[in-house]
């Protein structure tokens, strides 16, 4: 049996002196963050018995900041997955010890979201949120920013101020990708339905505009129907899909640019099994994965959740720093595209 790694073994692995390892272990004097991180990684690599203590010491040396992530719909698979990813990403931040909390908002009324901002903003050092664009929400965001508390919009951007950061999909490319898929997969031109949660979500509005723009430029033979709003609700999306099917026998495509996807899929299964309708929707989750396999959905445009979470945590962390304005950046991510052959 090999002997347990010693402090000398750790120092050699990390490329530092034994005295430096001792300072990191016992927090005797300041050690550069990069050096402490190198010692920690070396301890984990060789299985050093005090690796846990080293990690604790490293964490204790970082300033603490409380961050609240305000997400939507606690029952939604996508937001559950995003919440978990955000907590992991916050825990991995190196410059700050982010004490992260995920709070789900099951109401989307602007007054409710504004109240949540006031409530959590009173004790948080930073807020990151998913919200529609509304003056009452923007007013609260501007108040937080005036107090020196960074605000980051997630998924959908906000028009409140150019001092907020943002992380989300490139909605223009998402909308045009959806249009390309429908225009090229449909066997013949016809009518195309568009489902939206709300134009108040700027990401959905941009995706819709870009979707329409592509058809106007490259596929003018299709007829795009007026968008139908469903408030990202499964029941309303199901009813809207049923109405599209009933009103338009020559419907050849549907683009769901927002939520309510489960309702749409359920209606397509029950009422359009014998119709050839090319369907594009958002986010890879159990229901959309199954719909891809069954041919009910042709393309899923998905948010790269882990990368979005990492970028969000990095923006929050850098917003606390005085070393520049990275915390105010807008980060637009390319979508992950899924078809039945690559899930």
């Amino acid at each position: 049996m090999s002997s347990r790694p010693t402090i000398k073994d750790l120092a050699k692995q990390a490329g530092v002196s034994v005295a430096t390892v001792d300072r990191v272990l016992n927090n005797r004097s300041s050690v550069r963050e990069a050096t402490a991180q190198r010692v920690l990684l070396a301890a984990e690599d060789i299985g050093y018995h005090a690796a846990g203590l080293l990690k604790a010491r490293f964490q204790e040396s970082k300033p603490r900041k409380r961050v609240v992530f305000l997400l939507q719909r606690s029952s939604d698979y996508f937001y559950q997955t995003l919440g978990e990813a955000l907590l992991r990403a916050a825990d991995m931040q190196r410059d700050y010890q982010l004490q992260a909390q995920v709070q789900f908002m099951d109401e989307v009324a602007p007054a409710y979201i504004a109240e949540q901002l006031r409530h959590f903003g009173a004790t948080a050092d930073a807020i990151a949120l998913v919200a529609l664009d509304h003056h009452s929400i923007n007013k609260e965001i501007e108040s937080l920013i005036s107090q020196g508390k960074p605000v980051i919009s997630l998924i959908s951007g906000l028009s409140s101020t150019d001092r907020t950061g943002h992380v989300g999909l490139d909605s223009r490319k998402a909308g045009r990708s959806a249009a390309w898929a429908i225009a090229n997969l449909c066997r013949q031109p016809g009518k195309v339905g568009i489902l939206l949660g709300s134009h108040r979500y700027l990401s959905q509005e941009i995706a819709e505009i870009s979707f329409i723009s592509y058809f106007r430029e490259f596929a003018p033979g299709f007829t795009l129907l007026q968008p139908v709003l469903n408030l990202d609700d499964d029941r309303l999306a199901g009813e809207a899909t049923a109405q599209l099917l009933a009103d338009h026998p020559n419907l050849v495509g549907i683009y769901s640019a927002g939520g309510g996807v489960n309702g749409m899929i359920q209606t397509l299964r029950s009422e359009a099994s014998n119709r050839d309708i090319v369907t594009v929707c958002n986010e890879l989750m159990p229901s959309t994965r199954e719909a891809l396999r069954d041919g009910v959905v042709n393309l899923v445009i998905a948010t790269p959740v882990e990368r979005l979470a990492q970028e969000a945590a990095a923006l929050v962390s850098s917003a606390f720093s005085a070393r520049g304005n990275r915390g105010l950046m807008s980060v637009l991510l390319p979508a992950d595209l899924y078809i039945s052959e690559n899930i």
Side-chain angles (χ1 to χ4, degrees), residues 246-309:
D247 292 346
H248 305 287
N250 61 340
L251 189 73
V252 297
I254 296 177
Y255 173 40
S256 175
V261 172
N262 293 333
M264 179 195 70
I265 290 173
Q266 183 176 356
T267 298
L268 288 173
R269 287 186 185 281
S270 62
E271 301 185 27
S273 58
N274 61 341
R275 294 174 65 171
D276 188 12
I277 298 175
V278 175
T279 305
V280 179
C281 65
N282 293 336
E283 309 310 348
L284 188 67
M285 46 192 175
S287 60
T288 55
R289 184 184 293 272
E290 183 181 2
L292 281 172
R293 288 198 187 103
D294 297 344
V296 177
V297 167
N298 301 86
L299 175 67
V300 170
I301 300 174
T303 302
V305 171
E306 292 293 337
R307 184 177 172 193
L308 183 144

Side-chain angles (χ1 to χ4, degrees), residues 38-328:
R38 191 162 72 248
V39 172
L40 171 59
L41 293 174
E44 292 176 340
D45 286 344
I46 69 172
Y48 186 67
H49 66 91
L53 175 61
L54 280 167
K55 186 173 183 179
R57 292 294 190 202
F58 182 69
Q59 286 292 108
E60 289 169 2
S61 68
K62 297 188 293 185
R64 294 186 180 185
K65 296 290 185 179
R66 182 168 183 259
V67 181
V68 176
F69 296 101
L70 297 176
L71 306 183
Q72 297 187 350
R73 297 191 296 279
S74 60
S75 61
D76 188 285
Y77 178 88
F78 170 75
Y79 284 113
Q80 292 172 358
T81 303
L82 177 59
E84 294 168 358
L86 286 166
L87 292 177
R88 287 193 297 271
D91 189 54
M92 293 173 61
Q93 277 303 299
R94 295 177 56 184
D95 294 334
Y96 291 88
Q97 187 177 169
L98 298 184
Q99 298 175 312
Q101 174 185 354
V102 171
Q103 179 66 34
F104 294 101
M105 302 180 294
D106 288 323
E107 293 184 40
V108 295
Y112 174 79
I113 297 176
E115 175 57 33
Q116 298 304 297
L117 281 167
R118 282 192 296 273
H119 174 73
F120 289 101
T123 55
D125 295 303
I127 296 282
L129 78 161
V130 181
L132 43 74
D133 192 49
H134 191 272
H135 64 85
S136 61
I137 296 172
N138 294 336
K139 180 180 178 182
E140 294 301 326
I141 290 173
E142 290 166 2
S143 175
L144 289 172
I145 292 174
S146 70
Q147 300 171 45
K149 298 185 176 185
V151 177
I152 309 295
S153 61
L154 304 174
I155 309 298
S156 187
L158 298 168
S159 63
S160 57
T161 170
D162 59 5
R163 292 181 294 166
T164 56
H166 172 67
V167 186
L169 284 185
D170 187 327
S171 297
R172 178 180 177 276
K173 290 183 178 179
R176 291 181 71 85
S177 296
W180 179 92
I182 290 176
N184 285 275
L185 293 177
C186 285
R187 296 181 180 179
Q188 59 185 13
K191 294 184 177 179
V192 178
I194 304 172
L195 301 180
L196 288 180
S198 170
H199 285 106
R200 288 283 186 177
Y201 291 108
L202 299 187
S203 61
Q204 295 186 26
E205 182 177 55
I206 293 170
E208 177 214 352
I209 292 170
S210 303
F211 183 80
I212 294 171
S213 175
Y214 179 93
F215 275 100
R216 183 172 57 241
E217 184 177 359
F218 294 112
F222 288 80
T223 300
L224 301 187
L225 302 172
Q226 287 297 312
V228 182
L229 303 184
N230 57 42
L231 305 180
D232 291 335
D233 179 82
D234 285 336
R235 180 183 62 82
L236 294 178
E239 292 175 355
T241 304
Q243 196 65 51
L244 283 172
L245 295 172
D247 292 346
H248 305 287
N250 61 340
L251 189 73
V252 297
I254 296 177
Y255 173 40
S256 175
V261 172
N262 293 333
M264 179 195 70
I265 290 173
Q266 183 176 356
T267 298
L268 288 173
R269 287 186 185 281
S270 62
E271 301 185 27
S273 58
N274 61 341
R275 294 174 65 171
D276 188 12
I277 298 175
V278 175
T279 305
V280 179
C281 65
N282 293 336
E283 309 310 348
L284 188 67
M285 46 192 175
S287 60
T288 55
R289 184 184 293 272
E290 183 181 2
L292 281 172
R293 288 198 187 103
D294 297 344
V296 177
V297 167
N298 301 86
L299 175 67
V300 170
I301 300 174
T303 302
V305 171
E306 292 293 337
R307 184 177 172 193
L308 183 144
Q310 292 163 10
E311 292 285 355
L315 278 180
V316 169
S317 182
S318 62
F320 291 134
S321 173
R323 295 177 305 203
N325 295 322
R326 186 171 185 267
L328 307 180

